[in-house]
Coordinates of all heavy atoms in Angstrom, one line a residue:
M1 N -84.1 32.2 -27.1 CA -83.2 31.7 -28.2 C -83.1 30.2 -28.1 O -83.2 29.5 -29.1 CB -81.9 32.4 -28.1 CG -81.0 32.0 -29.2 SD -81.6 32.7 -30.8 CE -80.2 32.3 -31.8
E2 N -82.9 29.7 -26.9 CA -82.8 28.3 -26.7 C -84.1 27.5 -27.0 O -84.0 26.4 -27.6 CB -82.4 27.9 -25.2 CG -82.0 26.5 -25.0 CD -81.5 26.2 -23.7 OE1 -80.9 27.1 -23.1 OE2 -81.6 25.1 -23.2
E3 N -85.2 28.1 -26.7 CA -86.5 27.5 -27.1 C -86.6 27.4 -28.6 O -87.1 26.3 -29.1 CB -87.6 28.4 -26.5 CG -88.6 27.7 -25.6 CD -89.6 28.7 -25.1 OE1 -90.5 29.0 -25.9 OE2 -89.5 29.1 -24.0
R4 N -86.2 28.4 -29.3 CA -86.3 28.4 -30.7 C -85.4 27.3 -31.3 O -85.7 26.6 -32.2 CB -85.9 29.8 -31.3 CG -85.9 29.9 -32.7 CD -87.3 30.1 -33.3 NE -87.2 30.4 -34.7 CZ -87.9 29.8 -35.6 NH1 -88.9 28.9 -35.2 NH2 -87.8 30.0 -36.9
L5 N -84.2 27.1 -30.7 CA -83.3 26.1 -31.2 C -83.8 24.7 -31.0 O -83.7 23.8 -31.8 CB -81.9 26.3 -30.4 CG -80.8 25.3 -30.8 CD1 -80.5 25.5 -32.3 CD2 -79.6 25.6 -30.0
I6 N -84.4 24.5 -29.8 CA -85.1 23.2 -29.5 C -86.2 22.9 -30.5 O -86.4 21.8 -31.0 CB -85.5 23.2 -28.0 CG1 -84.4 23.2 -27.1 CG2 -86.4 21.9 -27.8 CD1 -84.7 23.3 -25.6
E7 N -87.0 23.9 -30.8 CA -88.1 23.8 -31.7 C -87.6 23.4 -33.1 O -88.1 22.5 -33.8 CB -88.9 25.1 -31.8 CG -90.1 25.0 -32.7 CD -90.8 26.3 -32.8 OE1 -90.7 27.2 -31.9 OE2 -91.4 26.6 -33.9
L8 N -86.5 24.1 -33.5 CA -85.9 23.7 -34.9 C -85.3 22.3 -34.9 O -85.5 21.6 -35.9 CB -84.9 24.8 -35.2 CG -85.3 26.2 -35.6 CD1 -84.2 27.1 -35.7 CD2 -86.2 26.1 -36.8
E9 N -84.7 21.9 -33.8 CA -84.1 20.6 -33.7 C -85.2 19.5 -33.8 O -85.1 18.5 -34.4 CB -83.3 20.4 -32.5 CG -81.9 21.2 -32.6 CD -81.1 21.1 -31.3 OE1 -81.7 20.7 -30.2 OE2 -79.9 21.3 -31.3
T10 N -86.3 19.8 -33.1 CA -87.5 18.9 -33.1 C -88.1 18.8 -34.5 O -88.4 17.7 -34.9 CB -88.6 19.4 -32.1 OG1 -88.0 19.6 -30.8 CG2 -89.7 18.5 -32.1
K11 N -88.2 19.9 -35.2 CA -88.7 19.9 -36.5 C -87.8 19.1 -37.5 O -88.3 18.3 -38.3 CB -89.0 21.3 -37.1 CG -90.2 22.0 -36.5 CD -90.4 23.3 -37.1 CE -91.6 24.0 -36.5 NZ -91.9 25.3 -37.1
I12 N -86.5 19.3 -37.3 CA -85.6 18.6 -38.2 C -85.6 17.1 -37.9 O -85.6 16.3 -38.9 CB -84.1 19.2 -38.0 CG1 -84.0 20.5 -38.6 CG2 -83.1 18.2 -38.6 CD1 -82.7 21.3 -38.3
S13 N -85.7 16.7 -36.7 CA -85.8 15.3 -36.3 C -87.1 14.7 -36.9 O -87.0 13.6 -37.5 CB -85.8 15.2 -34.8 OG -86.0 13.9 -34.4
Y14 N -88.2 15.4 -36.8 CA -89.4 14.9 -37.4 C -89.3 14.8 -38.9 O -89.7 13.8 -39.5 CB -90.6 15.8 -37.0 CG -91.9 15.5 -37.7 CD1 -92.7 14.4 -37.2 CD2 -92.4 16.2 -38.8 CE1 -93.8 14.1 -37.9 CE2 -93.6 15.9 -39.4 CZ -94.3 14.8 -38.9 OH -95.5 14.4 -39.6
Q15 N -88.7 15.8 -39.6 CA -88.5 15.7 -41.0 C -87.6 14.6 -41.4 O -87.9 13.9 -42.4 CB -88.0 17.1 -41.5 CG -89.1 18.1 -41.5 CD -88.6 19.5 -41.9 OE1 -87.4 19.7 -42.1 NE2 -89.5 20.4 -42.1
D16 N -86.6 14.3 -40.7 CA -85.7 13.2 -41.0 C -86.4 11.9 -40.9 O -86.3 11.0 -41.8 CB -84.5 13.2 -40.0 CG -83.4 14.2 -40.3 OD1 -83.4 14.7 -41.5 OD2 -82.6 14.4 -39.5
H17 N -87.2 11.8 -39.9 CA -88.0 10.5 -39.7 C -89.0 10.4 -40.9 O -89.1 9.3 -41.5 CB -88.8 10.6 -38.4 CG -89.7 9.4 -38.2 ND1 -89.2 8.1 -37.9 CD2 -91.0 9.3 -38.2 CE1 -90.2 7.3 -37.8 NE2 -91.3 8.0 -38.0
L18 N -89.7 11.4 -41.3 CA -90.6 11.4 -42.4 C -89.9 11.1 -43.7 O -90.4 10.3 -44.5 CB -91.3 12.8 -42.5 CG -92.5 12.8 -43.5 CD1 -93.6 11.8 -43.2 CD2 -93.1 14.2 -43.5
I19 N -88.8 11.7 -43.9 CA -88.0 11.4 -45.2 C -87.6 9.9 -45.2 O -87.7 9.3 -46.3 CB -86.7 12.3 -45.2 CG1 -87.2 13.7 -45.6 CG2 -85.8 11.8 -46.3 CD1 -86.1 14.7 -45.5
N20 N -87.2 9.3 -44.1 CA -86.9 7.9 -44.1 C -88.1 7.1 -44.4 O -88.0 6.1 -45.1 CB -86.3 7.5 -42.7 CG -84.8 8.0 -42.6 OD1 -84.1 8.2 -43.6 ND2 -84.5 8.3 -41.4
E21 N -89.2 7.4 -43.8 CA -90.5 6.7 -44.1 C -90.8 6.8 -45.6 O -91.2 5.8 -46.2 CB -91.6 7.2 -43.3 CG -91.5 6.7 -41.8 CD -92.8 7.2 -41.0 OE1 -93.5 8.0 -41.5 OE2 -92.9 6.7 -39.9
L22 N -90.7 8.0 -46.1 CA -91.1 8.2 -47.6 C -90.1 7.4 -48.4 O -90.5 6.8 -49.5 CB -91.1 9.6 -47.9 CG -92.2 10.5 -47.3 CD1 -91.9 12.0 -47.6 CD2 -93.5 10.1 -47.9
N23 N -88.8 7.4 -48.1 CA -87.9 6.6 -48.8 C -88.2 5.1 -48.8 O -88.1 4.4 -49.9 CB -86.5 6.8 -48.3 CG -85.4 6.2 -49.1 OD1 -85.3 6.4 -50.3 ND2 -84.6 5.3 -48.5
D24 N -88.6 4.6 -47.7 CA -89.0 3.2 -47.6 C -90.2 2.9 -48.5 O -90.2 1.9 -49.2 CB -89.4 2.8 -46.2 CG -88.2 2.8 -45.2 OD1 -87.1 2.8 -45.7 OD2 -88.4 2.8 -44.0
V25 N -91.1 3.8 -48.6 CA -92.3 3.7 -49.5 C -91.8 3.6 -50.9 O -92.3 2.8 -51.7 CB -93.3 4.8 -49.3 CG1 -94.4 4.8 -50.4 CG2 -94.0 4.7 -47.9
V26 N -91.0 4.5 -51.3 CA -90.5 4.6 -52.7 C -89.7 3.3 -53.0 O -89.9 2.8 -54.1 CB -89.6 5.8 -52.9 CG1 -88.8 5.8 -54.2 CG2 -90.4 7.1 -52.8
V27 N -88.9 2.8 -52.1 CA -88.2 1.6 -52.4 C -89.2 0.4 -52.6 O -89.0 -0.4 -53.5 CB -87.2 1.3 -51.2 CG1 -86.7 -0.1 -51.3 CG2 -86.1 2.3 -51.2
R28 N -90.2 0.3 -51.7 CA -91.2 -0.8 -51.9 C -91.9 -0.6 -53.2 O -92.2 -1.6 -53.9 CB -92.2 -0.8 -50.7 CG -91.6 -1.4 -49.5 CD -92.8 -1.7 -48.4 NE -93.7 -0.6 -48.2 CZ -93.5 0.4 -47.3 NH1 -92.4 0.3 -46.5 NH2 -94.4 1.3 -47.1
Q29 N -92.3 0.6 -53.6 CA -93.0 0.8 -54.9 C -92.1 0.4 -56.0 O -92.6 -0.2 -57.0 CB -93.4 2.3 -55.0 CG -94.6 2.6 -54.1 CD -95.0 4.0 -54.2 OE1 -94.3 4.9 -54.7 NE2 -96.3 4.3 -53.8
Q30 N -90.8 0.7 -56.0 CA -89.9 0.4 -57.0 C -89.8 -1.2 -57.1 O -89.7 -1.7 -58.2 CB -88.5 1.0 -56.8 CG -87.6 0.8 -58.0 CD -88.1 1.3 -59.3 OE1 -88.5 2.5 -59.4 NE2 -88.2 0.5 -60.4
Q31 N -89.7 -1.8 -56.0 CA -89.7 -3.3 -56.0 C -91.0 -3.9 -56.7 O -90.9 -4.8 -57.5 CB -89.5 -3.8 -54.6 CG -88.2 -3.6 -54.0 CD -88.1 -3.9 -52.5 OE1 -89.1 -4.0 -51.9 NE2 -86.9 -4.0 -52.0
Q32 N -92.1 -3.3 -56.4 CA -93.4 -3.7 -57.0 C -93.4 -3.5 -58.5 O -93.8 -4.3 -59.2 CB -94.6 -3.0 -56.3 CG -94.8 -3.4 -54.9 CD -95.9 -2.6 -54.3 OE1 -96.2 -1.5 -54.6 NE2 -96.6 -3.2 -53.3
I33 N -92.9 -2.3 -58.9 CA -92.8 -2.0 -60.3 C -91.9 -3.0 -61.0 O -92.2 -3.5 -62.1 CB -92.3 -0.6 -60.5 CG1 -93.4 0.4 -60.1 CG2 -91.9 -0.3 -62.0 CD1 -92.9 1.9 -60.0
D34 N -90.7 -3.3 -60.4 CA -89.8 -4.3 -61.0 C -90.5 -5.6 -61.2 O -90.4 -6.3 -62.2 CB -88.5 -4.4 -60.2 CG -87.7 -3.2 -60.2 OD1 -87.9 -2.3 -61.1 OD2 -86.8 -3.0 -59.3
Q35 N -91.2 -6.1 -60.1 CA -91.9 -7.3 -60.2 C -93.0 -7.3 -61.2 O -93.1 -8.3 -62.0 CB -92.5 -7.6 -58.8 CG -93.2 -9.0 -58.7 CD -93.8 -9.2 -57.3 OE1 -94.0 -8.2 -56.6 NE2 -94.2 -10.4 -57.0
L36 N -93.8 -6.3 -61.3 CA -94.8 -6.2 -62.4 C -94.2 -6.2 -63.8 O -94.8 -6.8 -64.7 CB -95.7 -4.9 -62.1 CG -96.6 -5.0 -60.9 CD1 -97.2 -3.6 -60.7 CD2 -97.7 -6.0 -61.1
E37 N -93.1 -5.5 -64.0 CA -92.4 -5.5 -65.3 C -92.0 -6.9 -65.7 O -92.2 -7.4 -66.8 CB -91.2 -4.6 -65.3 CG -91.6 -3.1 -65.3 CD -90.4 -2.2 -65.2 OE1 -89.3 -2.6 -64.8 OE2 -90.6 -1.0 -65.6
K38 N -91.5 -7.7 -64.7 CA -91.1 -9.1 -65.0 C -92.3 -9.9 -65.3 O -92.3 -10.7 -66.2 CB -90.4 -9.7 -63.8 CG -89.0 -9.1 -63.6 CD -88.4 -9.7 -62.3 CE -87.0 -9.0 -62.0 NZ -86.4 -9.5 -60.7
Q39 N -93.4 -9.7 -64.6 CA -94.6 -10.4 -64.9 C -95.2 -10.1 -66.3 O -95.7 -11.0 -67.0 CB -95.7 -10.1 -63.9 CG -95.5 -10.7 -62.5 CD -96.5 -10.4 -61.5 OE1 -97.4 -9.5 -61.7 NE2 -96.4 -11.0 -60.3
M40 N -95.1 -8.8 -66.7 CA -95.5 -8.4 -68.0 C -94.7 -9.1 -69.1 O -95.2 -9.5 -70.1 CB -95.5 -6.9 -68.1 CG -96.5 -6.2 -67.3 SD -98.2 -6.6 -67.8 CE -98.3 -6.0 -69.4
V41 N -93.4 -9.2 -68.9 CA -92.5 -9.8 -69.9 C -92.9 -11.3 -70.0 O -93.1 -11.8 -71.1 CB -91.1 -9.7 -69.5 CG1 -90.2 -10.6 -70.3 CG2 -90.6 -8.2 -69.6
R42 N -93.1 -12.0 -68.8 CA -93.6 -13.4 -68.9 C -94.9 -13.5 -69.5 O -95.1 -14.5 -70.3 CB -93.6 -14.0 -67.4 CG -92.2 -14.2 -66.9 CD -92.3 -15.1 -65.6 NE -93.2 -14.6 -64.6 CZ -92.8 -13.9 -63.5 NH1 -91.6 -13.5 -63.3 NH2 -93.7 -13.5 -62.7
F43 N -95.8 -12.6 -69.3 CA -97.2 -12.7 -69.9 C -97.0 -12.5 -71.4 O -97.7 -13.2 -72.2 CB -98.0 -11.6 -69.3 CG -99.4 -11.6 -69.8 CD1 -100.3 -12.6 -69.5 CD2 -99.9 -10.5 -70.6 CE1 -101.6 -12.6 -70.0 CE2 -101.2 -10.5 -71.0 CZ -102.0 -11.6 -70.8
G44 N -96.2 -11.5 -71.8 CA -96.0 -11.3 -73.2 C -95.4 -12.6 -73.9 O -95.8 -12.9 -75.0
D45 N -94.4 -13.2 -73.2 CA -93.9 -14.4 -73.8 C -94.9 -15.5 -73.9 O -95.0 -16.3 -74.9 CB -92.7 -14.9 -72.9 CG -91.5 -14.0 -73.0 OD1 -91.4 -13.2 -73.9 OD2 -90.6 -14.1 -72.1
H46 N -95.8 -15.6 -72.9 CA -96.8 -16.6 -72.9 C -97.8 -16.4 -74.0 O -98.2 -17.3 -74.7 CB -97.6 -16.6 -71.5 CG -98.7 -17.5 -71.4 ND1 -98.5 -18.9 -71.3 CD2 -100.0 -17.4 -71.4 CE1 -99.7 -19.5 -71.3 NE2 -100.6 -18.6 -71.3
L47 N -98.1 -15.1 -74.3 CA -99.0 -14.8 -75.4 C -98.4 -15.1 -76.7 O -99.1 -15.6 -77.6 CB -99.4 -13.3 -75.3 CG -100.4 -12.9 -74.3 CD1 -100.7 -11.4 -74.3 CD2 -101.8 -13.6 -74.5
K48 N -97.1 -14.8 -76.9 CA -96.4 -15.2 -78.1 C -96.4 -16.7 -78.4 O -96.6 -17.1 -79.5 CB -95.0 -14.7 -78.1 CG -94.8 -13.2 -78.2 CD -93.4 -12.8 -78.1 CE -93.3 -11.3 -78.1 NZ -91.9 -10.8 -77.8
Q49 N -96.2 -17.5 -77.3 CA -96.3 -18.9 -77.4 C -97.7 -19.4 -77.8 O -97.9 -20.3 -78.6 CB -95.8 -19.6 -76.2 CG -94.3 -19.4 -75.9 CD -93.9 -20.0 -74.6 OE1 -94.7 -20.4 -73.8 NE2 -92.6 -19.9 -74.3
A50 N -98.7 -18.8 -77.2 CA -100.1 -19.2 -77.4 C -100.5 -18.8 -78.8 O -101.4 -19.5 -79.4 CB -101.0 -18.5 -76.4
S51 N -100.0 -17.8 -79.4 CA -100.4 -17.4 -80.7 C -100.0 -18.4 -81.8 O -100.6 -18.5 -82.8 CB -99.8 -16.0 -81.1 OG -98.4 -16.1 -81.2
G52 N -99.0 -19.2 -81.5 CA -98.5 -20.3 -82.4 C -99.2 -21.6 -82.1 O -98.8 -22.6 -82.6
S53 N -100.3 -21.6 -81.3 CA -100.9 -22.8 -80.8 C -102.0 -23.3 -81.8 O -102.7 -24.3 -81.5 CB -101.5 -22.6 -79.4 OG -102.6 -21.7 -79.5
G54 N -102.2 -22.6 -82.9 CA -103.2 -23.1 -83.8 C -104.5 -22.4 -83.6 O -105.5 -22.6 -84.4
L55 N -104.6 -21.5 -82.6 CA -105.9 -20.8 -82.4 C -105.9 -19.6 -83.4 O -104.9 -19.0 -83.7 CB -105.9 -20.2 -81.0 CG -106.0 -21.3 -79.9 CD1 -106.0 -20.6 -78.5 CD2 -107.3 -22.1 -80.0
A56 N -107.1 -19.3 -83.9 CA -107.2 -18.2 -84.9 C -107.2 -16.9 -84.1 O -107.7 -16.8 -83.0 CB -108.5 -18.3 -85.7
R57 N -106.6 -15.9 -84.7 CA -106.7 -14.5 -84.1 C -108.1 -14.1 -84.2 O -108.9 -14.5 -85.1 CB -105.8 -13.6 -84.8 CG -104.3 -13.9 -84.6 CD -103.4 -12.8 -85.1 NE -103.8 -12.1 -86.2 CZ -103.3 -12.1 -87.4 NH1 -102.2 -12.8 -87.6 NH2 -103.8 -11.4 -88.4
P58 N -108.6 -13.2 -83.3 CA -110.0 -12.7 -83.4 C -110.4 -12.1 -84.8 O -111.5 -12.3 -85.2 CB -110.0 -11.6 -82.3 CG -109.0 -12.0 -81.4 CD -107.9 -12.6 -82.2
D59 N -109.5 -11.5 -85.5 CA -109.8 -10.9 -86.8 C -109.8 -12.0 -87.9 O -110.3 -11.7 -89.0 CB -108.8 -9.8 -87.2 CG -107.4 -10.2 -87.2 OD1 -107.0 -11.2 -86.6 OD2 -106.6 -9.6 -88.0
E60 N -109.3 -13.2 -87.6 CA -109.3 -14.2 -88.6 C -110.5 -15.2 -88.4 O -110.7 -16.1 -89.2 CB -108.0 -15.0 -88.5 CG -106.8 -14.2 -88.9 CD -105.5 -15.0 -88.7 OE1 -105.5 -16.0 -87.9 OE2 -104.5 -14.7 -89.3
E61 N -111.2 -15.1 -87.3 CA -112.3 -16.0 -87.0 C -113.4 -15.8 -87.9 O -113.8 -14.7 -88.3 CB -112.7 -15.9 -85.5 CG -111.7 -16.5 -84.5 CD -112.3 -16.5 -83.1 OE1 -113.6 -16.4 -83.0 OE2 -111.5 -16.6 -82.2
V62 N -114.1 -16.9 -88.3 CA -115.3 -16.9 -89.1 C -116.5 -16.5 -88.2 O -116.6 -17.1 -87.1 CB -115.5 -18.3 -89.8 CG1 -116.8 -18.3 -90.6 CG2 -114.3 -18.7 -90.6
P63 N -117.3 -15.6 -88.6 CA -118.5 -15.3 -87.8 C -119.4 -16.5 -87.6 O -119.5 -17.3 -88.4 CB -119.1 -14.1 -88.5 CG -118.6 -14.1 -89.9 CD -117.3 -14.9 -89.9
P64 N -120.1 -16.5 -86.5 CA -121.0 -17.6 -86.2 C -122.1 -17.6 -87.2 O -122.4 -16.6 -87.9 CB -121.6 -17.3 -84.8 CG -120.9 -16.1 -84.3 CD -120.0 -15.6 -85.3
P65 N -122.8 -18.8 -87.4 CA -123.8 -18.9 -88.5 C -125.0 -17.9 -88.4 O -125.6 -17.6 -89.4 CB -124.3 -20.3 -88.4 CG -123.6 -20.9 -87.2 CD -122.6 -20.0 -86.7
H66 N -125.3 -17.5 -87.2 CA -126.5 -16.6 -87.1 C -126.2 -15.2 -87.5 O -127.1 -14.4 -87.5 CB -127.0 -16.6 -85.6 CG -126.0 -16.1 -84.6 ND1 -125.0 -16.9 -84.1 CD2 -125.8 -14.9 -84.0 CE1 -124.3 -16.2 -83.2 NE2 -124.8 -15.0 -83.2
Y67 N -125.0 -14.9 -88.0 CA -124.7 -13.5 -88.5 C -125.0 -13.4 -90.0 O -124.8 -14.1 -90.8 CB -123.3 -13.1 -88.2 CG -123.1 -12.5 -86.8 CD1 -122.4 -13.3 -85.9 CD2 -123.6 -11.3 -86.5 CE1 -122.2 -12.8 -84.6 CE2 -123.4 -10.8 -85.2 CZ -122.7 -11.5 -84.3 OH -122.5 -11.0 -83.0

């Protein structure tokens, strides 16, 4: 009976450690997601500013003379 108890305690300890490691991974991934979302917002803002720069949109461009 004592052997079984030690085995269960060992498994629980291992699982606790694994859960903590997985939690750390999830936290890092969420930080990366947050950072990427901020970059996407900045990129979108940059594109909005660039669209007012006088450049023609691809659908408004005149085809080159060889067409």
Side-chain angles (χ1 to χ4, degrees):
M1 181 71 171
E2 188 173 332
E3 236 177 75
R4 179 81 174 130
L5 184 60
I6 291 172
E7 182 183 334
L8 288 172
E9 287 176 343
T10 303
K11 284 182 179 183
I12 288 173
S13 175
Y14 175 75
Q15 288 176 350
D16 282 345
H17 178 72
L18 187 59
I19 287 171
N20 286 330
E21 285 183 348
L22 290 172
N23 185 56
D24 291 343
V25 169
V26 170
V27 167
R28 281 194 313 270
Q29 286 179 339
Q30 186 60 51
Q31 290 170 343
Q32 289 175 334
I33 289 169
D34 292 342
Q35 183 182 17
L36 289 170
E37 286 177 340
K38 289 176 186 176
Q39 288 177 352
M40 289 299 296
V41 167
R42 286 194 306 263
F43 183 67
D45 291 343
H46 180 71
L47 283 178
K48 286 177 188 175
Q49 290 174 356
S51 67
S53 67
L55 296 175
R57 292 191 327 247
D59 61 333
E60 295 176 337
E61 287 188 20
V62 178
H66 63 277
Y67 277 109

